[in-house]
Amino acid sequence: MRLFTTIAALRCYLNLQKSAAPHLTVGLVPTMGALHAGHLSLIQRARQENVIALVSIFVNPLQFGPTEDFQDYPRNFEQDRLLCEQAGVDAIFAPSATEMFGKQAVLRTETEQTAQKQIEIDLSSLTQVVPPPAMTSVLCGKARPGHFQGVAAIVTKLLSLVLPTKAYFGQKDAQQLAIIRKLVFDFNLPVEIVACPIVREESGLAMSSRNQYLTAEQKHQASVLYRALQQASETFASGDRTAAAALAAAHAAVKGEPAVKLEYAELVDPDTLTPLQVVETAGLLAVAARVGSTRLIDNIILRNRRPIVAIDGPAGAGKSTVTRLAATALNLFYLDTGAMYRALTWLVLKTDTPISDECAIAELISSSYLEYNLDPASKMLKINGEDVTEAIRSLEVTSRVSEMAAIPAVRQFLVEEQRRCGTKGGIIAEGRDIGTNVFPDAELKIFLTASVQERSRRRLLELKDTDRGNISLAQLEQDIALRDEKDSTREVAPLRKAVDAVEIQTDNLTVAEVIDRIVGLYKERIGPKS
């Protein structure tokens, strides 16, 4: 593991890595140190999804108000370094304030031992990053003026320095997450912002570096925040989708713990942070409170949608057949992601756009639109207003669709389309990154797999009466093993089993038995909420 404290060294490292592997993927986990299990979950995700996992450690003075805890914020760099090393981090970037902002902006520095706790920054000498006031003046922004401007400035700087493929942030800081996503969208930054679930202590208290300030008794008292969110969620699940009902439930729960002083409980849109009266699709229920002198935040997403089932797995595992049949058994719509890739392939072929010209394809699809009917009784797919439901099944399209699926711009376009189809839920979809990338919040994730030998045997039976019927089982095994390697190591959307996916090994199972397993898991995991 490398440690860099200067921008020059960090850039040198990244440039060398990228020159050796031009399509290198880099996952960035920005932190202020004092690492805990929540940070480690972000690092684990970055490690799984990228070639390089990089952690930044910098207590950002720009996001602390004059009366806040900048000087006292927990700092234990040696412990953080050890945790990163154990977690498989490739590099840490731990700059000083002078390195990040320049000598002219740092008004005061003390001795080397105390410099990081005695920083004053001349904001007038720095370029400011100002997110929309409507997003920074609500929730925590009311009590922390200037905080999110400071966050936006440092995150913009880190993203510019590292140029990561993905950057990982915890859902606990939901307002920060929404603002950073807006920033990335507005500035067209080529990075994917990945939200990771809140990691909680056994009591339900959300993990936070500031939990170190709490006594054991205060931690117990603070756990009421999670119970309040759960109570609001139960009220919501009962059928009352109004903000009034959810907030009343949360307030009632916190009222039972006098030591916890609620600063706010609000229900807002998770993306825009606009206050909601009724949850149509999704609502962010966020709370902030003080326990003693420590300020804590927590939140939960309330979703008003039917469940989503995501089925991933290697080639030849029977995902398509199983997903279609499971859709009928579970009364869910089957989202045929393969048809979407076929539609774009059809468009490229029709317009005589060379599949080798990725820039021309990006130009073409960026001005295109899909219309998709999920109802199996009248399944229809249109692209730019033209019905291509049957046309996309041609041999010409079939022979070129895999090439199209490997193009990053194509996958990015279709991931957004697939997520749009899942806005109201009630769907089941299959692929190689449905549970890890397209629908990471799916209520049920399945990883359907089988041994190379079994998948080869099944494929041989399929080919028996075709012009490839004379292929040997040994050759098929070699082909499928090679396909697995390519799928799991490819640059775009590699095959991964989601951490929370249930693996179903189908070597000794019939299709009917696999469907029964999925139906059973659906009832067990989702039950009455379906």
Side-chain angles (χ1 to χ4, degrees), residues 48 312 434-437 439-440 445-447 495-503:
Q48 288 176 336
D312 291 313
I434 299 297
T436 55
N437 186 37
F439 298 120
K445 301 176 188 177
I446 303 290
F447 191 80
L495 172 66
R496 294 281 190 275
K497 176 187 173 183
V499 175
D500 52 348
V502 178
E503 182 171 320

Side-chain angles (χ1 to χ4, degrees), residues 450-467:
S451 65
V452 170
Q453 293 74 20
E454 176 62 17
R455 285 183 280 143
S456 302
R457 184 189 68 80
R458 294 173 185 173
R459 183 62 175 154
L460 189 63
L461 290 174
E462 291 175 0
L463 297 174
K464 184 177 180 181
D465 297 322
T466 71
D467 57 1

Side-chain angles (χ1 to χ4, degrees), residues 105-184:
V106 180
L107 296 179
R108 182 177 65 166
T109 58
E110 305 294 331
T111 65
E112 183 177 348
Q113 289 75 22
T114 62
Q116 291 302 306
K117 295 186 179 183
Q118 301 289 332
I119 296 296
E120 288 183 20
I121 304 297
D122 179 12
L123 291 177
S124 65
S125 70
L126 295 176
T127 299
Q128 301 295 301
V129 180
V130 184
M135 299 184 76
T136 60
S137 61
V138 298
L139 304 179
C140 289
K142 294 177 183 178
R144 306 189 70 186
H147 168 75
F148 290 109
Q149 289 87 336
V151 170
I154 203 67
V155 170
T156 301
K157 195 170 185 71
L158 287 170
L159 296 180
S160 301
L161 288 172
V162 178
L163 298 177
T165 313
K166 298 181 179 182
Y168 297 81
F169 296 86
Q171 176 63 36
K172 182 177 77 71
D173 297 300
Q175 185 173 10
Q176 170 182 281
L177 179 64
I179 290 169
I180 290 171
R181 281 181 164 158
K182 176 66 172 170
L183 181 155
V184 166

Side-chain angles (χ1 to χ4, degrees), residues 312-386:
D312 291 313
K319 300 188 299 295
S320 181
T321 299
V322 165
T323 305
R324 289 178 186 275
L325 294 172
T328 301
L330 295 171
N331 192 30
L332 298 175
F333 291 128
Y334 169 52
L335 180 60
D336 190 348
T337 58
M340 293 179 163
Y341 283 100
R342 286 174 173 271
L344 292 188
T345 305
W346 175 89
L347 179 65
V348 165
L349 294 173
K350 182 191 177 186
T351 55
D352 293 322
T353 306
I355 289 185
S356 59
D357 191 340
E358 294 189 16
C359 298
I361 289 173
E363 180 83 11
L364 176 66
I365 65 176
S366 293
S367 57
S368 299
Y369 63 95
L370 290 173
E371 296 172 80
Y372 199 94
N373 187 352
L374 293 170
D375 188 344
S378 56
K379 188 170 284 293
M380 173 274 296
L381 178 60
K382 290 183 179 181
I383 187 162
N384 299 335
E386 185 168 352

Side-chain angles (χ1 to χ4, degrees), residues 4-132:
F4 303 107
T5 60
T6 66
I7 292 170
L10 174 68
R11 281 180 164 163
C12 178
Y13 170 76
L14 292 171
N15 288 338
L16 287 173
Q17 296 295 322
K18 290 178 180 179
S19 64
H23 300 297
L24 184 79
T25 56
V26 178
L28 171 66
V29 182
T31 81
M32 292 204 300
L35 303 184
H36 51 69
H39 295 112
L40 295 179
S41 72
L42 306 185
I43 293 171
Q44 181 185 28
R45 182 87 176 265
R47 176 73 279 167
Q48 288 176 336
E49 298 180 356
N50 303 277
V51 177
I52 297 291
L54 190 151
V55 173
S56 65
I57 298 177
F58 180 66
V59 183
N60 175 28
L62 297 184
Q63 65 190 71
F64 288 82
T67 61
E68 293 185 335
D69 57 343
F70 175 72
Q71 293 187 26
D72 298 323
Y73 194 83
R75 293 168 173 86
N76 191 337
F77 182 76
E78 282 307 309
Q79 180 177 313
D80 292 343
R81 185 192 61 76
L82 181 60
L83 287 172
C84 285
E85 192 167 29
Q86 292 172 344
V89 169
D90 295 286
I92 294 175
F93 179 48
S96 66
T98 302
E99 183 68 19
M100 288 299 279
F101 304 121
K103 292 180 180 179
Q104 291 183 338
V106 180
L107 296 179
R108 182 177 65 166
T109 58
E110 305 294 331
T111 65
E112 183 177 348
Q113 289 75 22
T114 62
Q116 291 302 306
K117 295 186 179 183
Q118 301 289 332
I119 296 296
E120 288 183 20
I121 304 297
D122 179 12
L123 291 177
S124 65
S125 70
L126 295 176
T127 299
Q128 301 295 301
V129 180
V130 184

